[in-house]
Amino acid sequence: MNSEHFGCLALVTLCMDKSALDERFFECLKCLLDLACKRKYIPENPASSVKHFNELRERPVRRMLTVEEEQRILEAAPPHLRVAIVLLTQTGGRTYSEGFSLRWDQIDLAIKLIRLGNDVKTPGSSEPVPLSEYACEVLQAWNKEQASKSPYVFPSPICPDRPISTVKTTWQATLRRAGVPRFPMYTLRHVFCTRLSEVAPDAVVQRAMRHSSPETKRRYQLGMADQVRQAVERANKSAYGKGRRTTFLLRSVAHGKEQPKAVSN
C-alpha cells in the first residue's frame, strides 16, 4: 500500500470517527470513494446512491444591504477595511483575488480605471474596471495616508511586501459593532450588481460584473421585493389609470351571517 492509499485510509477513518460525523465529512468520504473507484482501488462506490446534502440550507439568507447599514459598517470599520468596502461596493470586485490583492500599479486614477491583468478567474474578468468619482477620492486619500510604500493597496501589517491575507475576524467584529447581522464580505459584489441593475440596462450590468452571460446577474441580485412592488404599481397605473380600480365587497361569515367588509380604492 503506497502513501496515497494511506492518505485515503486516514481520511476515511477520520470521516467515520463518531466525533466528526457532519455533512461535510460525509461529502468528503463520498468523493474519496469515487476517486478510489475511478482508480480501480475498489470495484464500485457503495455510497453512489446516497443523495448529496443540501448545503444551501446552512448558508445565511441572502438579503440586500441598505444604505443606512452600509454607513454604520463604514463608521465601525478600521481604515483599511473602510477603503476596501467602498472599493468593493463601487466596482463589484471579488473580495481577495481582485480586492485585497490589488496593487497600486494596477490603478490609473488619471483615467479612472483598474487593470487586473490576466491573473483572474475568467478571461472576461480581465476587462478594465471603471472607477467612480467616489472610489477615486477614497483611493487617493488612502494612498496619501499610507505610511509604508508597499506596492499593495492593502499590505500585510506583518510583511508589507505582501497583500493582507485575511480580514475575516476584522470583518465579523465590524459587523458586530455596527449592529448588522453577519453576512459574507463577498455579498458586497451582489450589492453592487443589485444597485446597478436598478438604473442600468443588462448590457451595462454584464460589462460591469464582467460576466460571460447577461443571465448570470440573476444569481447576484438581492432583495428585489421593492423593485417588484414598484413595477407592479406602475403596471397597475398603466392598466387601470388613476381612480379606475373596481370597488367590491369581501364577505365573511360572522355569527352565522354574512357581514360585508368594505375595500377601498
Side-chain angles (χ1 to χ4, degrees), residues 120-140:
V120 287
K121 184 178 180 181
T122 62
S125 298
S126 63
E127 291 287 336
V129 179
L131 287 170
S132 65
E133 289 284 353
Y134 181 25
C136 284
E137 291 173 2
V138 170
L139 286 172
Q140 285 175 336

Side-chain angles (χ1 to χ4, degrees), residues 196-242:
L196 197 62
S197 299
E198 295 178 12
V199 297
D202 284 355
V204 174
V205 177
Q206 180 183 353
R207 170 60 182 81
M209 296 293 290
R210 292 164 289 132
H211 285 156
S212 58
S213 168
E215 291 303 314
T216 308
K217 79 166 192 176
R218 312 299 178 195
R219 299 199 299 269
Y220 281 82
Q221 290 176 320
L222 302 170
M224 300 297 288
D226 289 338
Q227 290 86 338
V228 172
R229 186 182 301 106
Q230 292 166 8
V232 172
E233 293 294 353
R234 290 196 297 271
N236 286 341
K237 186 176 180 180
S238 175
Y240 302 123
K242 188 175 181 179

